[in-house]
Amino acid sequence: MTRSWALFLTARRTGNAVLTLVVLGVIERLLGTASVRFTGNNSFVVPWAVVVPTVAAAAVALASGSATPELEQLTVRNIPRLRLTHASAVVLFATITDYLGTRELGGTISSEAAVRNVLGLAGLALLGATIFGAIWAWILPAVIALISLTAGVTDGTAATWAWPLANNANSGAWVIAVALLVVGLASISARGARAPSPDEDDE
Amino acid sequence: MRYPVAVELRRGEGWWLSALLTVAGTVVALRSVYWHPIVWAASVTAIGTAVEVMGPLAAAVAAYAGGRSRRRRMAHLEQLSDGGTERAATAQLAGLLAWVLVGYHLVVALVYVPTFVSATWGGPDLARTVAGGTALAFDVTVGYFCGRVWRSRLAAPVVAALAYVAIIIGQTMPAIRSIHLLLPTNNDVYDEFNTPNDTTCWSQALWLAAFAAAIFLAWRAAHLMMRRRGLPILALAIAAASVGGLGIASQDSRSNISAVTVAFTCSGDNPVICLHPAFLSTRPAVDAVLDPIAQRLAGTPFQVQRFEQRPRGVGGVPSPGAVAFALDDNRQGSIRLAAQEATVNALALSNSCFTDTGIKPGYDYAQLVASSIAGQPSTFIATSPDEQHARTRFDSLTSAARRTFLTRRAAAIRACNLSAADFA
């Protein structure tokens, strides 16, 4: 690894994101079941294939923001290409850890859906990082996950817009997820994460 | 105080939070009533469902806002300003609360106005609607002070996650079912056969508002080194919160009172169809599926002269000689489901096909007959050549032949004992 790459990764706190993704994968692997069900009058099944990718997407997006955005504007290097490579690599790592963590999941929303959700939600998070900044990048995946979980299913079928809850084989959900990933990667590559206000410290 | 609040209203995080909450809350609420609210009870419940999504988001943004002065390294300026940190925090929190409540009221308006236009019975429930807004105010206050105490880029998403987990636990954990309304949520199903328990809902509003106020006053007392003039108000807030909490516990967290007396509206003569007045706008669609069922059963032992809409479970027994059906909303899918239920009840299958040991072997053939009588033959899926043959045979019968079939095999149908031999 060249020194410039090492600095590029450090400026984005990529190590924290990698650690978070590994911990998520391990937790998911240890749980090993498709759902946690609180019993009672209203039982609620937590679909891990939606929850874990939402957190993973937030970790991916947090790693998209640079600690020195102004300086990066001055560099002679091809920053958009570096950003694209970096974001793609983090998304790929998130996909692998999520797949390994969710391999034991059963049911109709299992590891395939988890991988699809990582791709789509990460794309959404990267798009959010471009618009709102890395610190708020989690909001778009969280909103779509929350709305989907709360009101996305009617008579056992997920609405098109609630694609994170769609079955593994739902091709429409895959198309949406891949499209979001492409848009997210393109936006983060072209513009980078929105820089925080100059008077703000985003630690 | 006026000036800092005006600045917060204009330049704080509240306005875009309000926009986010309005969009998310409206989507969730209107989706919960399938984009076409006609029943007040469903619309009131939908607002509670919207708060489930709005609450965590509001708490997260409030947590972010709470860390602002330290994030901008301006905490010392707050302390040096007129009124100090206390005044700055009050203004910031007031700005957030104002915008969040604007968002909440917009969601309420966007759901209640179309309900007001379309509904044929009932009205909004003030206590439950106020409690929803108070739950959001509680989320904002708690989130804000989390942000004040814990300054981190992770504070907002962690607060959102914790708020959501609290809501889910409140809705699902049987162990706290009798006090679940102490948490800032209430999407207990409230339908047109219930009346809302206003004592519980007002108690929840009082509990959440007073608890949020107590958090703010406790922070202020700690921050100002226990200034004496604040302590009586803090004690008052704690007392008010206690009254609210006891009110919830005394009602066992029941937000509904069952067994409301309903004057059903009946029309038609053969059959008579009785609907809850809240569902009068669905009458043409309901008539269109129930009239043909009555015609198919006419002249058989299963002849129906009266269909009555009833709730599922408690209060679900119709008048003697009538056939009950449940209707959830005005979607075509729900009306088809009502037709299926009416048919199953007319054929007396609802209990006979199910035993303590499981489902009787004749269940599939009973379903075949019921789906055909309900006018929905495609809902039956044959799983064997015998069933496919039975289906082809039954579908090929004329109306008169079907009546003969039903008459001759009435006992077998009632006992859920049909078999392939009956369709040979």
Side-chain angles (χ1 to χ4, degrees), chain B residues 125-141:
Chain B
D125 179 43
L126 181 64
R128 217 170 138 147
T129 308
V130 169
T134 319
L136 277 180
F138 177 84
D139 286 325
V140 168
T141 308

Side-chain angles (χ1 to χ4, degrees), chain B residues 93 97 101 127 129-142 145 181-185 200-218 233-245 248:
Chain B
L93 186 56
L97 286 172
L101 291 178
T129 308
V130 169
T134 319
L136 277 180
F138 177 84
D139 286 325
V140 168
T141 308
V142 172
F145 285 103
L181 292 182
L182 292 177
L183 292 164
T185 176
T200 308
C201 296
W202 284 121
S203 295
Q204 188 190 27
L206 177 64
W207 154 258
L208 291 172
F211 193 11
I215 290 171
F216 173 72
L217 293 166
I233 307 174
L234 173 60
L236 189 66
I238 292 171
S242 304
V243 170
I248 292 171

Side-chain angles (χ1 to χ4, degrees), chain A:
Chain A
M1 185 191 294
T2 62
R3 180 163 171 72
S4 58
W5 258 111
L7 291 171
F8 191 82
L9 295 178
T10 306
R12 281 163 172 73
R13 304 178 185 89
T14 310
N16 290 352
V18 167
L19 185 64
T20 306
L21 292 170
V22 169
V23 169
L24 264 179
V26 170
I27 290 173
E28 179 58 33
R29 185 79 180 164
L30 289 174
L31 287 170
T33 54
S35 60
V36 166
R37 186 188 288 271
F38 300 109
T39 54
N41 291 343
N42 308 314
S43 60
F44 180 84
V45 177
V46 181
W48 293 111
V50 178
V51 174
V52 172
T54 305
V55 181
V60 167
L62 275 172
S64 67
S66 169
T68 55
E70 303 88 354
L71 292 178
E72 285 185 4
Q73 298 294 324
L74 304 173
T75 180
V76 293
R77 296 219 178 212
N78 188 343
I79 284 290
R81 199 169 66 191
L82 281 176
R83 285 198 291 243
L84 178 62
T85 309
H86 175 262
S88 303
V90 179
V91 170
L92 180 64
F93 186 76
T95 308
I96 292 169
T97 53
D98 195 59
Y99 174 73
L100 293 175
T102 56
R103 234 173 11 165
E104 300 288 314
L105 289 187
T108 54
I109 308 177
S110 58
S111 59
E112 289 173 48
V115 166
R116 177 198 67 207
N117 289 345
V118 168
L119 297 178
L121 293 172
L124 207 53
L126 291 171
L127 183 63
T130 313
I131 300 169
F132 308 117
I135 199 168
W136 277 110
W138 60 272
I139 197 105
L140 290 181
V143 167
I144 193 72
L146 269 175
I147 294 180
S148 300
L149 287 170
T150 309
V153 177
T154 309
D155 302 333
T157 307
T160 305
W161 54 265
W163 57 270
L165 289 181
N167 293 340
N168 293 338
N170 187 318
S171 54
W174 276 97
V175 169
I176 293 171
V178 171
L180 285 172
L181 179 66
V182 169
V183 170
L185 286 174
S187 65
I188 203 72
S189 166
R191 301 185 55 182
R194 182 181 169 184
S197 169
D199 58 352
E200 294 228 351
D201 170 11
D202 75 342
E203 278 298 325

Side-chain angles (χ1 to χ4, degrees), chain B residues 11-27:
Chain B
R11 303 191 61 183
E13 294 82 356
W15 67 270
W16 67 264
L17 169 62
S18 183
L20 174 72
L21 293 182
T22 304
V23 172
T26 305
V27 167

Side-chain angles (χ1 to χ4, degrees), chain B residues 376-388:
Chain B
Q376 302 168 34
S378 61
T379 57
F380 173 75
I381 297 168
T383 56
S384 69
D386 280 350
E387 288 182 10
Q388 185 57 47

Side-chain angles (χ1 to χ4, degrees), chain B residues 32-56:
Chain B
S32 300
V33 290
Y34 308 105
W35 310 109
H36 186 196
I38 60 161
V39 179
W40 273 110
S43 293
V44 172
T45 305
I47 294 296
T49 307
V51 169
E52 269 189 32
V53 171
M54 296 163 76

Side-chain angles (χ1 to χ4, degrees), chain B residues 303-378:
Chain B
Q303 182 164 323
V304 181
Q305 289 179 332
R306 187 180 175 90
F307 285 110
E308 291 182 349
Q309 184 190 357
R310 286 289 184 272
R312 294 190 183 87
V314 177
V317 180
S319 319
V323 170
F325 66 94
L327 182 58
D328 298 317
D329 50 66
N330 56 336
R331 286 179 306 143
Q332 201 55 42
S334 297
I335 290 166
R336 281 199 299 269
L337 187 64
Q340 290 172 25
E341 282 192 26
T343 308
V344 165
N345 289 336
L347 296 176
L349 299 174
S350 52
N351 294 322
S352 62
C353 285
F354 302 96
T355 64
D356 292 341
T357 53
I359 298 172
K360 281 191 176 179
Y363 175 72
D364 282 358
Y365 293 104
Q367 265 210 320
L368 187 161
V369 173
S371 65
S372 191
I373 300 297
Q376 302 168 34
S378 61

